[in-house]
Amino acid sequence: MDALETQARGRLARNAFMLYNHMELESLGPDRAVFRLDIRPESRNPFGMVHGGALYTLADNAAGTAAHTDGRAYVTQTSSLHFLRNQSEGTVRAEGRVRHRGKSTCLTEVDITGEDGVLLATGEFTFFCVAPALMARRVREDQAPDGGTDQ
C-alpha cells in the first residue's frame, strides 16, 4: 500500500456513515477513486432496488476521495447526481475523477455503474477545501454540553 492509499484508508476508517452502509474503497490513484457497494437487503428501497441515498453516498465518497488525493481536506459544497437506471442485486461501483482544482474548491465528476458496466447514475460534485484543525474545533464546540456557546 502506497502513502496515498495509507492516508486515504486512515481517513476513511473514521467515516462511520460509509462503513455503516458497507461501502469500500476498491482502488485509488492521483485524482481518481473507485468505491464499491455489494447490494444487501438494507441497501434497497421499498421496491427492492438500490436506494437512491445509497447511490448518492457511494458517489460522494468516490468523488470526495478523488479530491482528497492532493493531500488537502475537503467537504462537499454542491452536487448534482442524475439517476438513470437501477438494479436490485450484485455490485455497483462509483468512479470519481477530478476535473479541476482551484485554490479553495475542487470539481469532480462521478459515474456509477452496475456489474454489467451499464451506467446507473452520473454527476458532478464540488468540494470546498477546509482547515482540518478548524473543522476539529467546530466538532468539539458542537459536541459541548452548552452547544459551544458562552452562556
Side-chain angles (χ1 to χ4, degrees):
M1 197 173 344
D2 65 10
L4 180 63
E5 188 172 346
T6 300
Q7 181 184 22
R9 290 200 182 276
R11 184 177 50 77
L12 293 171
R14 298 185 307 275
N15 187 334
F17 191 73
M18 179 198 78
L19 298 171
Y20 180 81
N21 287 287
H22 311 288
M23 296 173 187
E24 301 175 32
L25 174 64
E26 192 169 79
S27 66
L28 181 70
D31 295 339
R32 182 183 167 281
V34 177
F35 276 73
R36 69 180 279 153
L37 169 65
D38 294 323
I39 299 170
R40 300 167 173 241
E42 59 270 27
S43 306
R44 295 185 183 107
N45 65 23
F47 300 107
M49 305 301 277
V50 178
H51 193 286
L55 293 174
Y56 179 90
T57 300
L58 192 66
D60 189 34
N61 278 291
T65 300
H68 279 85
T69 62
D70 70 350
R72 298 190 297 169
Y74 293 90
V75 294
T76 307
Q77 184 177 25
T78 63
S79 65
S80 174
L81 191 64
H82 305 279
F83 298 96
L84 307 172
R85 299 193 140 151
N86 209 333
Q87 69 182 51
S88 61
E89 56 187 30
T91 299
V92 293
R93 286 181 174 77
E95 179 180 0
R97 297 168 302 280
V98 172
R99 294 186 62 198
H100 172 77
R101 287 189 188 279
K103 290 182 182 180
S104 60
T105 61
C106 181
L107 175 65
T108 63
E109 61 187 0
V110 63
D111 288 331
I112 300 176
T113 55
E115 284 187 331
D116 54 3
V118 169
L119 187 64
L120 303 178
T122 187
E124 290 185 336
F125 285 72
T126 301
F127 295 91
F128 184 74
C129 188
V130 297
L134 176 62
M135 294 303 291
R137 187 178 86 218
R138 291 193 64 187
V139 168
R140 286 192 305 274
E141 289 171 356
D142 286 349
Q143 292 175 347
D146 64 358
T149 61
D150 294 326
Q151 294 183 20

